[in-house]
Amino acid sequence: MNKSSEIGVLKGIGAKTEQLFHNLGVYTIGDILLHYPKDYDKLPPVTSLKELLSILETKTDGSLMSDQQGTNEKRMTVAITAAFATRIDKAPFVRAARNMQVTSLTLQEQGIKAELVWFRMPYLRSTLKVGQWFVFLGKVSLKGHILHMEQPQIFTPEKYQDMQNCLWPCYALTAGLGKNKLSQTVRQVLEELNLSIDYLPEEIRVRHGLAEYNYAIENIHFPENEAALEQARRRLIFDEFFQFILSAGMQKEQMEDITNDFIFPPLNSSQKQTELSAQQEEEGLWADRVMRNLPFELTGAQKHTLQEIRQDLRGRKVMQRLVQGDVGSGKTIIAFLSMLDAAQAGYQSALMAPTEVLALQHYQTFTELCELHQLHIPVILLTGALTAKEKRRAYERMQLYSNAIIVGTHALIQERAIYDNLALVITDEQHRFGVKQRESLFQKGMQPHVLVMSATPIPRTLAIILYGDLDISVIDEVPARRLPIKSCVVGKNARHTSYEFLKKEIAAGHQVYIVCPLVEESEGLEMENVTDYAEKLKLELSSGTVVESLHGKMKSGRKNLIMEQFARNEIQVLVSTTVIEVGVNVPNATVMMIEDAQRFGLAQLHQLRGRVGRGEAQSYCIMVNTTDSEKAKKRLEILNQSNDGFFIAGEDLKLRGPGDFFGVRQSGLLEFRLGDIYQNADLLKAASEEAGVLLREDRKLTAPEHEKIRIHMQSYLDSQAEIVNL
Ligand code: ADP
Ligand code: MG
């Protein structure tokens, strides 16, 4: 067994369980190790009966209040997981009930009564001796004024105290694959796999006080204590950054100094539109003509960026450029105009999007723009969702038209996609693509120009570290005509008011997005899920309103259909997971409502909010905070203060503070599994320096002492080639 073995090789994992692991994106042994816990549980601290009673009474009152506000559900039994220590002063009592033996223990402390029961465990009678102290752990609920606990776990106080330092992993789960099975599988792998020798040279580890890899991987899953977890995280985060930067550096080394052999028609001198005769207009550059006839004027930043790109296309070396622009800054049109330049020069260009939905949307936008401006350029869509026949046809057209504009997903870099004359490659929202994808695409063409577009709000200093191999343009301006989005943070009980608001917007002809964190109900997670939510909402809204759900687990065809229908306003309310986070553009949508908003990172919320406010009408973002936490509320309110991605990311960082890394997804866009480019800026800098030293010393890592790193980086790059399509 090694890291690339399929998980089916493990004992106890049959075909069915294997499939469940696939649902989690886990295919190989290596993937299991990378399936890091999302969070960790600690055993609850020991409390007294009195304290428990008062907590439960407050909670029960709370549940009663929300009842009176309209829901018809009956009063819920509130239960909390808790532990308490007590001395037994009355022996347990065993009785037979419905074919089983029930052991019950009655406790009394400061006048407060508790009733503990166990089923089919009569032998407990001899464990629970009068006069001894025990800790009981389990769900406690209130029946009348008596505390009630079923099947609590029993510990001696000493044992419980020892265990309190341990952290227990909480993994992302899927229906049918529970917490225990996952933990057990990870443990099995850690025990059976001969973990490799650390690839990282010892001197680097020592220099930055980093733990060994084997220690780190064990402790990220099963931390001995908090300090061990912190050590593990530091090491693994360093690795993430180091690998990323090193691979970019190696890439740069490969691509440096590629001369630009493409021939583009010269850029026009800055003639005014009014001075052009009809003939000049006809003969000029298509991109200029389209630009003049757009329904809006490009912002200064857009013009500037486009100018840089177009100069690169005509430069001495091939372009390697990153365009950074906040959501809604108008990157798509820049991509299109650049591709027009390529088409006019007789070359193919390709735009690669991270999701099917987005690829389709770009395809439609480009097709419409070509028609509108009477440009006879073949626009070709190539995604995994196409039928075999459609795909064949797309390939044929790619062969046929050497000036085509090709739009797609990672299907664009698959083997069978053969280009003819590829001069320009653009990746949209590039954070989802690794260096490797860029490289494969690069290899498909005749060393094309590369443009990378990203909405990740990172300061220039970080951008230079992370994208050291690219030139950078920044679109730091959003179109002025737009009304700023109005945002608000509300509690659960404002849902009714929110729905009334949605109804009004829908009645005015607008559309609504609702985002939930989960696809379907998940055991132990009290969060809204897309499937049930859509059903509930249908009952709330009038029958003329079409509500649909959208999530990543759907078949591509269905996903695309729903997105198309939403774009045509055949669907008014789209209940979705964050699949719509990236790039989707439906200007008629004016409301973004986010359930369990506190679960998301601020940068991610900012992206989600960026789905509205794209048209002329006033748009709104409603964030539902389903906790009582003041801190969560404060964090969410940062989004009220600003529409600026840079500002938001910075404030988020300030509020989170070190060590506060669970529960919410990190910076949203530039995603590492554990690392956060803001929060772990020190490690990012360290990794960047080390990678720099290494590459300066041995640019191809061919020296014998770098063999381990070289081999490791090769497998890193290979694993990057696998893209998870949302
Ligand atoms: P993003 O940068 O997030 O990818 P898009 O390219 O999707 O943004 O643009 C968002 C919307 O703004 C689109 O509907 C687009 O047509 C429009 N748009 C782009 N540039 C301008 C501009 N200069 N003025 C007005 N609207 C614009
Ligand atoms: Mg975009």
Side-chain angles (χ1 to χ4, degrees):
M1 180 170 88
N2 60 40
K3 281 192 180 173
S4 49
S5 315
E6 306 228 339
I7 48 162
V9 303
L10 290 170
K11 267 195 299 287
I13 298 201
K16 217 172 121 201
T17 316
E18 189 163 9
Q19 185 54 48
L20 295 174
F21 271 100
H22 291 178
N23 292 348
L24 293 172
V26 173
Y27 294 86
T28 63
I29 298 294
D31 293 341
I32 292 189
L33 292 179
L34 287 175
H35 192 67
Y36 298 145
K38 289 190 299 139
D39 201 350
Y40 300 84
D41 271 341
K42 256 190 151 176
L43 294 177
V46 177
T47 50
S48 66
L49 290 184
K50 188 165 177 197
E51 215 172 318
L52 271 177
L53 183 70
S54 92
I55 296 173
L56 278 167
E57 277 177 345
T58 331
K59 291 226 175 200
T60 313
D61 285 353
S63 91
L64 207 59
M65 252 162 51
S66 61
D67 266 14
Q68 285 159 353
Q69 283 172 0
T71 46
N72 297 321
E73 285 158 297
K74 64 177 198 294
R75 175 173 159 164
M76 294 193 308
T77 11
V78 181
I80 55 171
T81 302
F84 64 89
T86 191
R87 205 179 73 113
I88 297 184
D89 44 28
K90 209 170 122 204
F93 166 78
V94 180
R95 68 192 148 90
R98 273 187 275 139
N99 295 339
M100 62 177 156
Q101 289 187 298
V102 180
T103 310
S104 50
L105 178 69
T106 311
L107 301 166
Q108 194 138 11
E109 200 181 274
Q110 296 175 292
I112 295 155
K113 238 175 141 181
E115 179 92 6
L116 278 51
V117 293
W118 293 265
F119 307 109
R120 296 194 176 92
M121 298 167 92
Y123 49 85
L124 286 178
R125 201 167 19 185
S126 53
T127 314
L128 301 168
K129 290 210 180 83
V130 173
Q132 289 191 353
W133 281 83
F134 289 97
V135 174
F136 298 101
L137 166 71
K139 280 220 154 92
V140 196
S141 57
L142 203 54
K143 289 193 175 164
H145 289 283
I146 299 177
L147 293 166
H148 192 82
M149 227 175 184
E150 269 179 24
Q151 301 285 90
Q153 288 175 268
I154 306 164
F155 303 91
T156 62
E158 298 76 37
K159 170 87 181 151
Y160 194 81
Q161 194 174 8
D162 278 353
M163 287 175 50
Q164 265 192 303
N165 286 332
C166 292
L167 296 165
W168 309 90
C170 307
Y171 293 103
L173 302 173
T174 181
L177 193 58
K179 189 167 162 174
N180 291 343
K181 181 73 187 170
L182 247 161
S183 302
Q184 191 195 330
T185 311
V186 176
R187 251 193 222 287
Q188 193 182 344
V189 170
L190 286 172
E191 276 162 21
E192 290 176 17
L193 183 72
N194 280 324
L195 290 173
S196 46
I197 316 162
D198 207 332
Y199 78 92
L200 201 62
E202 190 175 348
E203 64 204 55
I204 296 188
R205 264 196 292 125
V206 170
R207 212 163 15 240
H208 303 285
L210 299 170
E212 258 189 296
Y213 176 76
N214 290 356
Y215 175 87
I217 199 76
E218 266 183 62
N219 276 281
I220 197 77
H221 287 286
F222 302 105
E224 281 166 41
N225 51 43
E226 307 228 358
L229 174 61
E230 183 50 30
Q231 279 298 314
R233 284 182 54 88
R234 269 181 65 80
R235 162 64 206 251
L236 297 173
I237 291 171
F238 179 89
D239 276 17
E240 290 181 341
F241 293 154
F242 184 67
Q243 292 162 350
F244 185 90
I245 296 168
L246 199 57
S247 62
M250 290 161 77
Q251 166 106 345
K252 180 178 186 176
E253 141 82 4
Q254 279 172 22
M255 304 221 257
E256 216 156 57
D257 296 334
I258 296 169
T259 50
N260 175 12
D261 294 328
F262 300 103
I263 300 163
F264 282 75
L267 290 175
N268 292 345
S269 55
S270 56
Q271 271 174 314
K272 290 258 161 54
Q273 185 180 352
T274 45
E275 294 163 8
L276 291 176
S277 68
Q279 194 193 354
Q280 278 171 320
E281 172 101 334
E282 193 61 31
E283 285 167 0
L285 293 182
W286 298 345
D288 290 331
R289 174 150 62 88
V290 170
M291 211 180 345
R292 280 192 299 269
N293 293 316
L294 284 174
F296 47 77
E297 165 134 20
L298 293 187
T299 62
Q302 279 174 313
K303 282 186 193 159
H304 184 75
T305 300
L306 186 63
Q307 183 68 11
E308 286 179 323
I309 296 168
R310 295 178 84 191
Q311 270 162 3
D312 283 355
L313 295 176
R314 292 155 178 86
R316 202 175 52 75
K317 294 195 289 178
V318 296
M319 169 169 69
Q320 309 242 24
R321 183 171 289 281
L322 168 75
V323 172
Q324 241 191 18
D326 210 344
V327 265
S329 61
K331 295 183 289 294
T332 315
I333 190 72
I334 300 300
F336 179 69
L337 293 170
S338 317
M339 291 171 101
L340 275 191
D341 250 8
Q344 188 168 17
Y347 300 118
Q348 287 187 339
S349 57
L351 172 70
M352 180 155 74
T355 63
E356 302 268 349
V357 163
L358 200 51
L360 185 70
Q361 180 190 291
H362 286 327
Y363 168 76
Q364 285 162 344
T365 308
F366 291 1
T367 309
E368 275 163 32
L369 279 166
C370 284
E371 272 167 24
L372 199 67
H373 297 278
Q374 289 165 3
L375 293 162
H376 302 287
I377 306 169
V379 183
I380 301 171
L381 177 70
L382 182 59
T383 69
L386 300 184
T387 62
K389 199 172 149 203
E390 288 166 334
K391 244 183 239 170
R392 242 187 345 264
R393 170 130 177 83
Y395 292 142
E396 276 166 22
R397 295 182 68 215
M398 283 166 68
Q399 292 289 301
L400 204 58
Y401 301 111
S402 57
N403 64 338
I405 288 181
I406 304 156
V407 181
T409 51
H410 66 292
L412 289 180
I413 52 171
Q414 276 160 3
E415 238 138 73
R416 289 174 54 210
I418 298 168
Y419 296 84
D420 178 22
N421 242 347
L422 184 64
L424 170 63
V425 165
I426 304 178
T427 60
D428 187 18
E429 309 294 354
Q430 88 90 35
H431 49 276
R432 308 252 174 178
F433 295 103
V435 173
K436 181 76 179 178
Q437 283 86 52
R438 242 198 282 155
E439 191 189 55
S440 355
L441 199 44
F442 188 84
Q443 283 162 354
K444 291 244 167 208
M446 305 141 65
Q447 298 176 317
H449 296 282
V450 175
L451 184 67
V452 166
M453 302 198 301
S454 166
T456 308
I458 44 176
R460 211 175 175 91
T461 45
L462 285 184
I464 290 169
I465 292 182
L466 289 164
Y467 301 109
D469 51 334
L470 303 172
D471 295 319
I472 302 174
S473 301
V474 183
I475 309 187
D476 50 4
E477 206 180 333
V478 286
R481 221 156 27 124
R482 288 208 207 115
L483 294 167
I485 301 163
K486 291 190 176 158
S487 306
C488 63
V489 182
V490 300
K492 270 193 279 204
N493 48 14
R495 238 180 230 143
H496 184 69
T497 328
S498 309
Y499 291 156
E500 289 307 309
F501 181 73
L502 300 191
K503 285 182 203 166
K504 260 195 241 148
E505 283 293 303
I506 295 164
H510 298 306
Q511 288 161 276
V512 174
Y513 294 102
I514 297 184
V515 171
C516 301
L518 296 179
V519 172
E520 59 202 351
E521 198 176 344
S522 170
E523 203 186 324
L525 291 175
E526 281 177 29
M527 290 182 243
E528 293 294 343
N529 72 81
V530 166
T531 319
D532 295 340
Y533 200 98
E535 289 311 310
K536 264 193 310 194
L537 200 63
K538 280 177 193 164
L539 302 177
E540 289 277 338
L541 303 176
S542 76
S543 58
T545 306
V546 183
V547 180
E548 271 297 348
S549 50
L550 181 78
H551 56 76
K553 287 188 181 167
M554 282 177 168
K555 290 239 163 62
S556 305
R558 172 114 190 105
K559 248 182 338 198
N560 292 342
L561 179 70
I562 289 176
M563 243 4 263
E564 278 174 63
Q565 288 175 334
F566 188 66
R568 290 197 298 260
N569 197 2
E570 290 161 16
I571 293 170
Q572 285 74 48
V573 182
L574 191 62
V575 183
S576 169
T577 54
T578 52
V579 277
I580 51 122
E581 167 194 340
V582 177
V584 170
N585 187 36
V586 178
N588 191 46
T590 54
V591 185
M592 166 61 70
M593 179 163 168
I594 305 164
E595 288 287 349
D596 296 306
Q598 76 282 356
R599 296 261 168 194
F600 298 100
L602 288 190
Q604 195 181 16
L605 290 168
H606 177 60
Q607 281 290 321
L608 287 169
R609 174 168 66 179
R611 298 308 117 220
V612 296
R614 294 178 158 251
E616 307 270 296
Q618 176 65 54
S619 286
Y620 306 87
C621 177
I622 305 171
M623 291 170 273
V624 186
N625 172 15
T626 52
T627 62
D628 304 328
S629 152
E630 270 303 306
K631 198 170 159 205
K633 186 160 174 239
K634 215 167 135 198
R635 201 170 66 88
L636 291 174
E637 266 163 7
I638 292 174
L639 285 154
N640 284 348
Q641 294 164 24
S642 171
N643 247 324
D644 175 349
F646 282 77
F647 175 81
I648 291 167
E651 290 298 302
D652 192 18
L653 177 64
K654 272 192 232 155
L655 257 191
R656 263 189 286 153
D660 180 11
F661 34 67
F662 298 120
V664 286
R665 261 173 64 181
Q666 306 300 304
S667 324
L669 291 183
L670 194 84
E671 270 175 40
F672 292 91
R673 276 173 206 276
L674 298 171
D676 179 314
I677 53 173
Y678 302 102
Q679 200 155 28
N680 309 117
D682 58 330
L683 287 172
L684 183 62
K685 201 160 151 264
S688 155
E689 280 163 12
E690 293 296 349
V693 170
L694 204 61
L695 288 172
R696 269 195 300 280
E697 235 173 60
D698 179 10
R699 303 192 67 165
K700 293 190 167 144
L701 303 182
T702 44
E705 70 268 30
H706 295 146
E707 193 190 351
K708 271 186 293 185
I709 294 199
R710 193 179 66 244
I711 294 171
H712 179 83
M713 287 309 293
Q714 198 50 54
S715 68
Y716 170 77
L717 288 174
D718 289 346
S719 70
Q720 293 291 298
E722 320 264 319
I723 303 171
V724 184
N725 192 26
L726 285 173

